[in-house]
Amino acid sequence: VCVTLAVLSPRSLPATMRAAIWSALLLAVIALAANLGRIMPPDRPRALAPMYQYDRLCTVTLAVALTALWFRPSRLQPTLAIVGCLPMLTLTMIRRLGPSSNSGDIGLTIWGTLALFGLATQSQRLTQPRPAGIPAAGPGEYARRTFSILLALTAAYVLTPPIAATTRIALDRIFGWMAGNRRDAEARFSFENLALASPPAAWAGHFRPMLAIEAPSMPGYLRESVYLQCQRNSWVRRDGSTMQVLNELPDRHGGQGQRAYQVAADQDAVTSSWWTVHALSPARLAGFCLPGHAAIVAYAGEEAPKMDSDGIVILEDQPPPSRFEVGVAPTGNNRAFNWPRPPLPGEYLSLPALLAPSVTNWVAACAGLAEADSPVAAMQAVVRDFQERFTYELGVNYGRVAPLDRFMTARTGHCTLFASAATLMLRQRGIPARMVSGYLCTERHPWTGQWTVRARDGHAWCEAWDEQRASWVLVEATPANGLPSAHPPPGRLRLAFETLTALWRSLLETLRQRNPLLYVALAGVWLFGFLRHFLTSPLGIGCCACAAAYWWWRRRRHRRVQDEAARLRAALTRAMRRSERRLTPAHLRRAADEPWTAWARRVTPQLPPERATRLRALAETYQDLRYRETLDVPRARAWLTNSRRGHSRAISRAADGTAADSGPGWP
């Protein structure tokens, strides 16, 4: 459609930067509105973000390529148009190069695109007005241009198979490299292992926001990973094969366009409130960070999440979505995930063989733990012992050999060591326990009102099974000064930056929900349909006839009102501008506020002598005729006649003042 309109347009756009920018923006908006599926960012960033970015780039470059068709033909126009279409052609080849791909179809696509641009550029070159002295296009020029187009198209079609094969090889290499980088990133942030090494001493200065939560009360403990097997220097997660797909709840949802999935084991679990969680760094999260009393999770996505028996919810090979809703049960915060139920597997009581003797000594050294007559009493004894005899400190690394032994001897360490020792000590007393890592959210942003989770809020704790109450209990063994709530607050500058980031995120979410370009596209469809039905109806035909008659009457009336001198002055201006286009190249055109005689004196040294003399004569005579207080009508008519016919000798003699040979009408 754009190529056809460009060929049929009566005149080109003005060769100014303003015209180029605005026409490119207009076509880009139209193209993006036509490509609605790729306008807004996807909900699955790691899966669709590269494709989404590439689609936007192809759409914008195609709009720029189409913009080149609306300007005066030049040597660079075909190059700009075709280069602008290369990303879209590459995208077509990428998505058509599959097991059942047909290179002939790809060649036809490329051939058709090149044919359109070749037809547009050659048609514009042949139909543009030519400077004086250059003959009109004849059969020979038409034949040469047609042959050049056919030669280029034939070469493009013949070279399609090797280009397609080269593209396939390049894609395999590039995508393989990207997949390797993605696997490295996933390995870095997958949290398959939880090392016992201490974070750096400056861990409290890691202000990177990880989550922003809209909740009526403090979220508290957010579970990210659960570890059951303890080695000498790390914890290992359960094998992912135990993950089960969550059941979708069609009658419950946390927001418009979202799918809800049941997290709570109780089929009749109810939700007391909904939280809105914004994952600000999804690639650094191992899964959905959920509280222990989460009942439902809802988000806009096609893939159903998976959950293990310990309540860890993830998306397979994907980070969590950037925004999801959490329905929490009315059981209060800081609760452990109350599943699984007995009989529990032996891995909840397993002790590493190399640490079993040491754990027995730890239990004996803990006051009240060996004599505890209930799981709750044993948990309280462990917490009390760590609170009274141990201190919290970052940056203390005990190496890779028996770090827990050295921690229990030195009685100082970080939260992972506290939680690890508590888990093993409870297991030695026959109480099932598991190691949990995640975040402890206690900070409320003073300007946005959202609960903020930062990288420094990473925490580890223990969850143990209370047989008397038949429930899991959260055991916090870390001293109070080691909890994330003891960190100093961030500065005002950082708070201001995070506030602006939150406002921008809210704007994007509003645009995602409203989708204004969708309304623009729908308005265009409605307008097109209305005009089509209206113009083909008898009423529309009558209205068009009346509008045409009114326009013709206004034009005739305007011409009658305008006197002969004004019409001649306007005709002089049009003729002089036409002569300017015929006699000078584009880079020597006159500025809008430059006098004609001054412009002629400036450019004539750069023109051939004959053309310079003709241009100087035209400009001086035009300046004298056009801006006189009283127009010399006969002389103006003669100047217009000779300008149209291109009588250069008569114009030169008129400029020299030799009226005898100047032809009829010249003084």
Side-chain angles (χ1 to χ4, degrees), residues 43-44 246 248 252-261 274 277 288 296-306 313-316 319-326:
D43 295 316
R44 301 281 301 281
L246 292 179
E248 183 176 355
R252 299 181 183 179
H253 60 86
Q256 185 177 5
Q258 295 182 343
R259 296 186 176 184
Y261 302 90
W274 285 91
V277 181
F288 291 81
I296 299 174
V297 61
Y299 63 97
E302 298 294 333
E303 182 179 353
K306 293 183 177 181
V313 181
I314 65 171
L315 290 175
E316 189 174 7
S322 58
R323 181 181 184 273
F324 57 92
E325 309 276 342
V326 179

Side-chain angles (χ1 to χ4, degrees), residues 344-498:
L344 297 175
E347 54 188 349
Y348 289 94
L349 292 171
S350 63
L351 295 174
L354 296 178
L355 285 178
S358 300
V359 175
T360 303
N361 296 331
W362 302 345
V363 172
C366 180
L369 178 57
E371 299 83 7
D373 55 355
S374 66
V376 174
M379 300 174 198
Q380 293 175 351
V382 171
V383 171
R384 183 173 56 254
D385 183 67
F386 282 136
Q387 295 283 346
E388 294 177 353
R389 298 195 304 129
F390 287 73
T391 59
Y392 177 86
E393 185 177 355
L394 291 174
V396 179
N397 286 313
Y398 296 111
R400 299 177 60 87
V401 179
L404 284 175
D405 280 331
R406 302 182 64 181
F407 161 70
M408 294 300 293
T409 302
R411 298 181 185 179
T412 181
H414 55 93
C415 62
T416 305
L417 296 175
F418 281 97
S420 301
T423 302
L424 297 180
M425 293 167 66
L426 291 176
R427 287 183 177 183
Q428 202 278 339
R429 288 284 289 120
I431 302 173
R434 58 195 177 194
M435 180 77 173
V436 185
S437 69
Y439 297 91
L440 178 55
C441 178
T442 58
E443 176 191 347
R444 187 159 194 163
H445 200 283
W447 294 357
T448 63
Q450 298 177 346
W451 298 95
T452 303
V453 178
R454 306 183 185 276
R456 65 179 186 176
D457 295 332
H459 192 53
W461 62 92
C462 170
E463 291 180 355
W465 173 256
D466 183 3
E467 186 176 358
Q468 294 181 350
R469 293 188 293 181
S471 65
W472 288 88
V473 179
L474 191 149
V475 181
E476 180 55 86
T478 305
N481 65 330
L483 299 179
S485 57
H487 293 321
R492 292 183 176 273
L493 183 60
R494 180 173 296 276
L495 292 176
F497 177 76
E498 292 173 354

Side-chain angles (χ1 to χ4, degrees), residues 240-365:
S241 60
T242 60
M243 290 285 181
Q244 300 294 328
V245 178
L246 292 179
N247 296 326
E248 183 176 355
L249 303 175
D251 56 339
R252 299 181 183 179
H253 60 86
Q256 185 177 5
Q258 295 182 343
R259 296 186 176 184
Y261 302 90
Q262 179 177 329
V263 176
D266 187 2
Q267 297 290 338
D268 299 328
V270 296
T271 58
S272 60
S273 62
W274 285 91
W275 298 359
T276 301
V277 181
H278 304 273
L280 306 181
S281 299
R284 295 179 176 270
L285 299 176
F288 291 81
C289 295
L290 304 177
H293 60 300
I296 299 174
V297 61
Y299 63 97
E302 298 294 333
E303 182 179 353
K306 293 183 177 181
M307 185 180 74
D308 62 9
S309 58
D310 293 302
I312 301 304
V313 181
I314 65 171
L315 290 175
E316 189 174 7
D317 298 329
Q318 294 292 335
S322 58
R323 181 181 184 273
F324 57 92
E325 309 276 342
V326 179
V328 296
T331 56
N333 295 351
N334 301 338
R335 296 293 297 271
F337 183 74
N338 202 18
W339 197 260
R341 301 291 179 140
L344 297 175
E347 54 188 349
Y348 289 94
L349 292 171
S350 63
L351 295 174
L354 296 178
L355 285 178
S358 300
V359 175
T360 303
N361 296 331
W362 302 345
V363 172

Side-chain angles (χ1 to χ4, degrees), residues 217 239 414 437 510 542 575 591 646 666:
S217 59
D239 186 8
H414 55 93
S437 69
T510 303
W666 287 89

